[in-house]
């Protein structure tokens, strides 16, 4: 039964069928040929998989990212970051990473981060003499922080499927996301020194200019503080936080910055709804697929197999890093989370690996596929903005992926990188 399921799934997927329909087709045919004569089972599974309240955060965080982009918030974030690091060597590249880290703390989406910030940062870096391949690869890689630094849409999906707290997942992603961002900044600084990239030749801002930029950017900077502060203080849940992010973003874009018009609001709702629908469709149609996997004890068989090969949790985590990074090259992050979470969580529990630790490692690994061929959606977005071929960015992209893998390996042997902050706040792991 499982062999038939996987065969149908892989064949239809490689024929170009969207992954949601590949999973649905495989599960329906397998059910019908193994005694489940009614399609009501599949319909019930689709309904049950989307009835979790936490999943409401997915469309709201997508909408919040769209509001940030259209409301002028992303531009003000860049100006705010320039105020602090823009005048040091490689400052413009460091600004790109720092702005992506802050944007990530609102949007929860990698491609949205690249699109919103790349349209300003990539041309600015190229105009200041930066190599276009480096500029695009750095922006694409920094955009991957959008799903690592909370709030994160894949974290919401993973937590829902793994049965763990969304808030704890968010908290666990903060320190790894910051470390990854710092690693990218260090690389940007080294490249700037090696290639002689200098700060933009502009006059030092006066105190009045600094006050103006700071005051203009402060409401935008306050957005992630309000969202994450509210979650961790217990004022509201992650799902409620997603709605508050939308309301706060609309207040800034419409009333404070006055860059969002009524027609823009309609457009943002439609575009965000379409994007969210594609993600929710995968979540809905995947439950029948995962149900067959679970009822046929595939996680238990894999757990026994891994126990016979690996003697430690570190060994299997290192193997998973390699496997998941390869999978990320061919599957979207959300799809990979949906397919792999029900299989890997029970397996890793047998090695006493927390679902929170596994989730952060999974998300980082699969996110690397966003900047590597053939999927590489972040690099495709960056290449479209820079108007250059995709392959001119791959050299720097692979170096940045290598840096991220080094950080991942450090997390395997120092799990406190992931668990320190949730433990400090008394969250259950």
């Amino acid at each position: 039964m499982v062999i038939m399921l996987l065969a149908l799934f892989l064949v239809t997927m490689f024929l170009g069928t969207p992954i949601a329909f590949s999973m649905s087709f495989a599960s329906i045919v397998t059910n019908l040929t193994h005694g489940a004569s009614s399609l009501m089972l599949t319909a019930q599974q689709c309904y049950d998989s989307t009835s979790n309240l936490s999943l409401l955060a997915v469309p709201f965080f997508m909408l919040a990212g769209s509001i940030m982009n259209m409301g002028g918030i992303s531009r003000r974030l860049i100006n705010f970051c320039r105020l602090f690091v823009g005048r040091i060597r490689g400052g413009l590249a460091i600004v790109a990473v720092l702005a992506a880290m802050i944007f990530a703390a609102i949007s929860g989406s990698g491609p949205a981060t690249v699109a919103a910030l790349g349209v300003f940062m990539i041309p600015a870096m190229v105009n200041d003499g930066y190599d276009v391949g480096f500029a695009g690869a750095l922006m694409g890689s920094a955009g991957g922080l959008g799903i690592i630094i909370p709030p994160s849409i894949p974290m919401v999906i993973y937590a829902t499927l793994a049965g763990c707290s969304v808030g704890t997942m968010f908290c666990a992603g903060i320190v790894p996301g910051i470390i990854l961002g710092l690693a990218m900044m260090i690389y940007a600084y080294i490249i700037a020194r090696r290639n002689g990239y200098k700060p933009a030749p502009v006059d030092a801002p006066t105190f009045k200019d600094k006050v103006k930029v700071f005051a203009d950017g402060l409401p935008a900077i306050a957005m992630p503080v309000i969202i994450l502060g509210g979650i961790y203080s217990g004022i509201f849940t992650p799902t409620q936080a997603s709605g508050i992010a939308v309301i706060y973003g609309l207040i800034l874009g419409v009333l404070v910055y006055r860059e969002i018009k009524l027609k823009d609001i309609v457009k943002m709702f439609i575009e965000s709804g379409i994007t969210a629908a594609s993600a929710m469709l995968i979540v809905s149609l995947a439950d029948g697929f995962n149900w067959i996997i679970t009822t046929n004890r595939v996680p238990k068989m894999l757990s026994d197999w891994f126990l016979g090969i690996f003697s430690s949790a570190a060994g299997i985590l290192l193997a998973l890093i390699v496997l998941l990074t390869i999978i990320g090259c061919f599957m979207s992050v959300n799809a990979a989370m949906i397919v792999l979470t029900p299989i890997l969580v029970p397996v890793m529990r047998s090695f006493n690996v927390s679902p929170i630790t596994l989730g952060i490692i999974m998300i980082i690994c699969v996110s690397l596929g966003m900047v590597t061929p053939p999927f590489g959606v972040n690099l495709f977005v960056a290449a479209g903005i820079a108007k250059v071929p995709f392959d001119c960015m791959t050299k720097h992209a692979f170096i940045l992926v290598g840096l991220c893998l080094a950080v991942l390996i450090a997390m395997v042997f120092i799990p406190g990188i992931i668990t320190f902050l949730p433990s400090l706040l008394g969250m259950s792991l």
Side-chain angles (χ1 to χ4, degrees):
M1 188 173 185
V2 174
I3 294 174
M4 181 179 181
L5 176 78
L6 295 177
L8 288 171
F9 170 64
L10 292 174
V11 168
T12 51
M13 186 176 67
F14 283 115
L15 286 175
T17 306
I19 192 166
F21 298 114
S22 294
M23 297 175 73
S24 179
F25 174 77
S27 58
I28 290 173
V29 173
T30 302
N31 275 329
L32 291 177
T33 55
H34 287 80
S37 57
S38 174
L39 292 179
M40 284 299 296
L41 175 63
T42 301
Q44 184 64 43
Q45 289 166 339
C46 290
Y47 173 79
D48 291 342
S49 63
T50 55
S51 60
N52 192 310
L53 187 63
S54 297
L55 290 175
L56 270 178
V58 174
F60 278 121
F61 279 130
M62 287 183 174
L63 180 57
S66 180
I67 291 170
M68 281 188 65
N69 186 21
M70 195 165 289
I73 298 173
S74 55
R75 186 177 68 256
R76 288 171 173 85
L77 285 178
I78 292 171
N79 292 336
F80 186 90
C81 294
R82 276 189 174 186
L83 188 64
F84 295 97
V85 297
R87 291 184 57 79
I88 66 176
R89 185 179 289 274
L92 202 56
I94 295 173
V95 165
V97 179
L98 184 58
M101 293 172 69
I102 299 173
F103 193 97
I106 306 171
S107 71
S109 169
T113 303
V114 180
L117 301 178
V119 71
F120 300 108
M121 293 308 307
I122 293 176
M125 283 191 277
V126 173
N127 289 338
D128 278 358
Y130 287 75
D131 174 66
V132 66
F134 166 74
L138 182 69
M139 196 68 254
S141 300
L145 298 173
I147 65 170
I148 300 168
I149 297 177
S152 162
I153 293 167
M155 283 185 188
V156 174
I157 294 173
Y158 173 86
T160 303
L161 295 172
C164 56
S165 165
V166 175
T168 305
M169 280 294 299
F170 282 2
C171 188
I174 293 176
V175 175
I178 291 173
I179 293 174
L180 288 168
L182 289 174
M184 293 179 191
M185 289 182 192
I186 292 170
Y187 176 70
Y189 178 77
I190 292 171
I191 291 296
R193 285 193 65 87
R194 180 184 297 173
N195 295 342
Y197 300 145
K198 297 179 180 180
V202 295
D203 296 332
T206 64
F207 178 76
K208 183 179 179 181
D209 293 334
K210 291 180 179 180
V211 170
K212 182 180 179 181
V213 172
F214 186 85
D216 199 34
L218 192 59
I221 295 295
M223 196 171 182
V225 175
I226 292 171
I227 295 170
L228 298 178
I231 293 173
Y232 301 138
S233 64
I235 297 175
F236 40 72
T237 66
T239 304
Q240 292 167 338
S242 64
I244 290 170
V246 170
I247 294 171
Y248 185 79
L250 284 173
I251 291 173
L252 287 186
V254 176
L255 301 178
V256 179
Y257 297 143
R258 299 183 179 180
E259 295 195 19
I260 295 180
K261 310 301 179 185
L262 180 60
K263 62 179 182 180
D264 297 327
I265 295 176
V266 175
K267 180 181 178 182
M268 286 187 298
F269 270 78
I270 292 174
E271 290 179 351
S272 300
I274 292 172
T275 305
S278 63
M280 295 300 292
L281 183 64
I282 299 176
V283 173
S284 173
L285 297 179
D287 200 58
F289 185 91
N290 294 332
W291 179 80
I292 296 173
I293 292 287
T294 304
T295 55
N296 283 273
R297 297 168 56 86
V298 171
K300 178 65 169 60
M301 289 186 288
L302 284 175
S303 178
D304 293 340
W305 184 66
F306 281 129
L307 283 168
I309 297 176
F310 299 98
S311 58
S312 66
I316 189 173
L317 283 173
L318 290 174
L320 279 178
I321 286 173
V322 175
L323 176 64
L324 291 170
T325 303
I326 294 172
I327 289 174
C329 295
F330 299 94
M331 294 178 70
S332 70
V333 177
N334 292 337
M337 290 296 103
I338 292 164
V339 173
L340 298 174
T341 298
I343 298 173
L344 293 180
V345 169
V347 173
M348 297 312 297
R349 277 202 174 108
S350 64
F351 284 87
N352 296 317
V353 175
S354 163
I356 300 297
T357 300
L358 173 64
I360 297 300
I361 290 175
M362 282 181 65
I363 288 171
I364 295 174
C365 285
V366 181
S367 73
L368 298 180
M370 300 170 75
V371 289
T372 53
F375 193 70
V377 61
N378 280 10
L379 279 195
F380 280 115
V381 173
I385 294 171
K387 296 180 174 59
V388 294
F390 176 90
D391 55 5
C392 81
M393 301 179 179
T394 52
K395 173 189 171 183
H396 289 286
F398 281 126
I399 295 174
L400 288 161
V401 167
L403 283 175
C404 294
L405 287 173
V407 174
L408 266 173
I409 293 171
M411 291 179 197
V412 170
F413 293 101
I414 313 174
I417 294 173
I418 297 172
T419 59
F420 166 73
L421 197 54
S423 298
L424 185 66
L425 296 178
M427 295 179 169
S428 175
L429 295 170

